Amino acid sequence: MRYEPQDIDRLLKEERRIPMSGSEIIQSASLTRSDGATIAFDQIRGEGPGVIFLHGLKSDRGGTKAVHLMQHCQSKNIPFLTFDMFGHGESSGDFVQGSITRWTEDALAMLDELTTGPQILVGSSMGGWVMLKTALARTNRVAGLIGIAAAPDFTENLMWASLTQDQREAFLETGRHALPTSYEDEPYDIGIKLIEDGRGALLLKSPIAFAGPVRLLHGLEDSDVPWQTAVKTSEQLTSNDVTLTLVKDGLHNLSRPQDLDLLTSTLDGLIAKVGSL
């Protein structure tokens, strides 16, 4: 079932609207999924092609890139939507039970129920994988893509591949693995479901059948997702309009002021292109 903008009020558990220079932003709102899970989101209504931001693993809609894009879209009256995936941020669910399939289902629900017209998906890291899966499932709605250190297939190529045989055996036995991270003081647990589900969602071994324009941004100093992943992604995409921008001193998060400027200029260019199609 598709909801028009005026029907969104019925879907909100908690709502606060703040007029902002001609746009309207909904904050502290949530969409209830068919299984009872609640997905927290922020949305700006505007004109023209919309933008949906998909955050990375263990991140949320309050991250630097999400907030920057929201402010940019608000200033230009561009429709914008961002949300916390299952088990992240203010959304319900146990992160350890999360998976690429589940997070893609979240993205599809948000796309189908809260937006109308063509959408540009912006995916950061893990969100880049979800972005691609969502685009493949909704080719009639997704008009363009921007990947920021996009990480398709990371569960197999980066996580599982990095484990020793002993670690793999323990992971299979317990169903959990403590994953070290440079972004937190303590490691966080991932579930075996993430690995097993990921094997059914791999994309880089075959063509990625998306025909719209794609822009990939990746830092050469990325220590989490190698820039070669972006090259492989660009090779597998069937679109003839794919541009890869490598930032020589860029890190994984690409959140410095100059990185954010690159992101918004890339988005503006893509919106102009999509709007002229």
Side-chain angles (χ1 to χ4, degrees):
M1 180 177 183
R2 184 181 302 282
Y3 295 88
E4 296 301 322
Q6 63 267 26
D7 297 322
I8 293 178
D9 293 353
R10 297 188 297 105
L11 304 171
L12 306 184
K13 180 197 297 184
E14 181 182 353
E15 176 179 44
R16 178 164 61 89
R17 290 180 176 170
I18 306 173
M20 299 176 68
S21 304
S23 296
E24 186 176 43
I25 181 170
I26 301 172
Q27 293 183 322
S28 301
S30 64
L31 173 71
T32 301
R33 297 287 314 280
S34 59
D35 62 356
T38 55
I39 305 300
F41 70 89
D42 292 335
Q43 186 173 37
I44 294 172
R45 298 169 187 166
E47 298 178 356
V51 177
I52 302 177
F53 179 78
L54 306 167
H55 64 73
L57 192 72
K58 294 292 287 183
S59 186
D60 55 50
R61 74 190 198 281
T64 302
K65 292 184 288 293
V67 172
H68 183 77
L69 281 176
M70 176 181 288
Q71 293 172 343
H72 180 77
C73 288
Q74 183 276 323
S75 71
K76 297 199 169 189
N77 198 32
I78 298 168
F80 179 80
L81 172 66
T82 186
F83 61 95
D84 294 337
M85 298 185 201
F86 176 88
H88 289 81
E90 296 180 331
S91 292
S92 66
D94 181 0
F95 170 78
V96 176
Q97 296 302 316
S99 66
I100 298 303
T101 296
R102 174 67 204 221
W103 296 325
T104 300
E105 290 171 351
D106 289 342
L108 290 170
M110 303 304 281
L111 174 68
D112 291 344
E113 300 189 26
L114 296 181
T115 72
T116 59
Q119 301 293 312
I120 292 173
L121 305 185
V122 183
S124 176
S125 193
M126 177 270 286
W129 192 355
V130 174
M131 170 190 76
L132 293 167
K133 295 290 290 184
T134 302
L136 291 174
R138 294 291 186 274
T139 55
N140 62 323
R141 293 290 317 283
V142 178
L145 305 175
I146 299 177
I148 309 164
D153 300 8
F154 75 88
T155 55
E156 193 72 11
N157 297 342
L158 301 179
M159 284 184 172
W160 187 254
S162 69
L163 301 180
T164 66
Q165 186 60 35
D166 287 346
Q167 287 174 323
R168 292 178 180 181
E169 291 175 359
F171 196 176
L172 292 170
E173 181 178 347
T174 64
R176 289 175 177 252
H177 174 71
L179 190 72
T181 172
S182 57
Y183 301 100
E184 298 180 13
D185 293 334
E186 299 294 331
Y188 60 84
D189 283 354
I190 57 172
I192 194 64
K193 183 176 182 179
L194 179 62
I195 301 297
E196 293 176 342
D197 174 83
R199 290 185 178 132
L202 300 177
L203 293 177
L204 297 181
K205 293 184 177 180
S206 58
I208 302 171
F210 180 76
V214 182
R215 305 293 179 259
L216 300 174
L217 313 176
H218 214 110
L220 285 177
E221 297 297 323
D222 189 335
S223 60
D224 296 302
V225 180
W227 59 265
Q228 289 87 348
T229 300
V231 175
K232 183 65 174 178
T233 302
S234 65
E235 291 173 343
Q236 294 300 88
L237 282 159
T238 59
S239 172
N240 289 323
D241 186 0
V242 179
T243 300
L244 169 58
T245 301
L246 296 174
V247 182
K248 187 172 183 179
D249 60 347
L251 303 176
H252 180 63
N253 57 15
L254 286 180
S255 292
R256 301 169 301 175
Q258 61 266 41
D259 301 325
L260 298 175
D261 288 344
L262 172 63
L263 173 58
T264 49
S265 64
T266 300
L267 176 61
D268 288 344
L270 195 55
I271 288 174
K273 186 175 185 66
V274 167
S276 66
L277 295 178

